[in-house]
Structure formats: C-alpha cells, structure tokens
Amino acid sequence: VQLTGVSSHGLSWYPEYVTADSIKALRDNWGINVIRLAMYTSDYNGYCVAGEEIQSVLKDNIDEAVTAATENDMYVIIDWHILNDGNPNEYKSQAIQFFGEIVRKYEDNENVIYEICNEPNGDTTWEDIKKYANEVIPVIRNVDEDALILVGTPSYSSDLDSVLEAPLDFDNIMYTYHFYAGTHKSSARNSLTNALDAGLPVFISEYGLVSADGYGTV
C-alpha cells in the first residue's frame, strides 16, 4: 500500500477544505487516497485553548472528514497538531482525553491513523516525546490494538537519529519525518535513508516543494 495525499491547513482556519465535497473532489481530481486533518492544539483557536464550543466544532469537522474519507475508500490521519506549544507534554492530559474519546468513536474504522504529536520543537528531546508517547499510545491501544500510530520526532520532525538509539516499545508505530525541498537538502535525505536502512518505520506526514516556513520559491 502506498498512501499519497494532502495535509489540510489548520481546521480552525479553513474547515471548508475538509468537507465531504472537498474530500471527494480531491480524490476524484487529484487521485489522493489519504487526507491529514491538522487540528492545532494551541495556535489560533486551538483545541486546548479555545474552549468547549470550539472543541465541539473541531470534532464535528473531524467527524465529517472521517465519514467522507470512509465513504470514498480513503485513509484519514487525525493529527494532534502541536507547533508553538513545542513540547507535547504541555497539553498531555488534553491529548489523553481527546484520543480516548476519538478512538472509541472510530474503533471500527480500519482507515483511521492517529498522529499523536505533529512537530515537537525547541528544546524538546526524544526522551520528552517518549514520556508523552508512553502515556498516550496505551490510551489508543487499549481500545484499538491494531491502529497505526504516528509519532513526531524532535526538531520539527526531523531527528530520526535519536529515535534509532531508543525506539518505542510498541508494535505498529511509525515515526514522522517532514521534508521541505526548499530547505532540506542531501543531508536530510541521507538521514531518512539511513533510518530506513536501519529498519526504522518512517512516515512522511508533511512534504512541500517550498521552504519549511511555507514561503520561498518552488
């Protein structure tokens, strides 16, 4: 199976791009078979800072998208999109609550992939991420033993070397790597190749043709 698709912008910014009509159009016109739902945690009406009303809206957006992806025979990634919060442990209790609720809702869906932390950054270490993952992953595993779970890596999901030294002790886990061609060159490609050669399961949950900040020329 090869998954090729797109990641949304933040659901709070542009929910219209993950509606049933949009997802069907992306499948029909672009041929995608996976869509990633980027639900920000702290930025701009993020799930952890905007209150219960916004949380309810975001979960409704996710539900419409999961239903549409399922009806269109696609995979869907539910992305706990940390960014400016940096360390996933900052909102760990909210993540545990969220994934506990979401996995029970979609435990019968075979097409849902759970991405538990988008881009750990700043001084966040792999040990910090492991601490978080070791508490969040069992919440999903206790309900769905087989779901694929994606785990972010340090330095905006660009450090696979740290993971190689001490991977998580769970089955059916993949580690995310983000690659933007305007910023990341041969050394980044070599890091990915080395990790794959060493047997590390890696998932590219973000890729772009511009700079890593979203700007610059193609």
Side-chain angles (χ1 to χ4, degrees), residues 2 14 16 25-26 52 61 79 94 97 99 107 112 122 125 177 185 189-191 194 198-199 206:
Q2 182 181 42
Y14 298 111
E16 63 267 30
L26 286 166
E52 292 183 2
N61 296 151
D79 164 34
Q94 289 93 330
Q97 181 276 329
F99 284 109
E107 62 179 301
V112 175
T125 65
Y177 195 65
K185 303 299 179 180
R189 296 195 297 273
N190 291 339
S191 293
N194 293 339
E206 277 189 33

Side-chain angles (χ1 to χ4, degrees), residues 48-204:
C48 298
V49 299
E52 292 183 2
E53 185 175 342
I54 295 297
Q55 288 182 354
S56 180
V57 170
L58 289 168
K59 285 187 283 192
D60 286 345
N61 296 151
I62 289 171
D63 192 55
E64 180 178 2
V66 171
T67 300
T70 305
E71 290 175 349
N72 286 283
D73 198 28
M74 291 165 50
Y75 287 87
V76 56
I77 301 169
I78 299 176
D79 164 34
W80 186 255
H81 200 90
I82 70 163
L83 187 61
N84 286 331
D85 30 347
N87 190 325
N89 289 291
E90 181 172 349
Y91 295 113
K92 180 171 59 183
S93 61
Q94 289 93 330
I96 288 171
Q97 181 276 329
F98 173 80
F99 284 109
E101 177 183 345
I102 289 295
V103 71
R104 283 171 175 81
K105 189 168 188 175
Y106 302 119
E107 62 179 301
D108 294 329
N109 287 64
E110 296 183 349
N111 61 328
V112 175
I113 299 170
Y114 301 95
E115 185 170 2
I116 63 172
C117 52
N118 165 57
E119 285 187 346
N121 61 80
D123 59 1
T124 303
T125 65
W126 175 237
E127 284 303 312
D128 294 327
I129 300 166
K130 283 187 71 175
K131 178 181 177 183
Y132 168 84
N134 282 328
E135 293 188 52
V136 174
I137 289 173
V139 172
I140 299 172
R141 282 284 177 263
N142 287 340
V143 178
D144 190 333
E145 296 179 354
D146 300 320
L148 177 59
I149 298 173
L150 309 181
V151 183
T153 57
S155 300
Y156 298 95
S157 286
S158 70
D159 176 9
L160 297 173
D161 293 336
S162 296
V163 181
L164 277 170
E165 295 174 4
L168 290 161
D169 190 23
F170 295 97
D171 292 330
N172 224 23
I173 301 297
M174 298 185 79
Y175 304 94
T176 65
Y177 195 65
H178 291 177
F179 186 90
Y180 284 85
T183 299
H184 305 126
K185 303 299 179 180
S186 59
S187 62
R189 296 195 297 273
N190 291 339
S191 293
L192 174 60
T193 301
N194 293 339
L196 295 175
D197 288 345
L200 196 72
V202 181
F203 192 103
I204 309 297

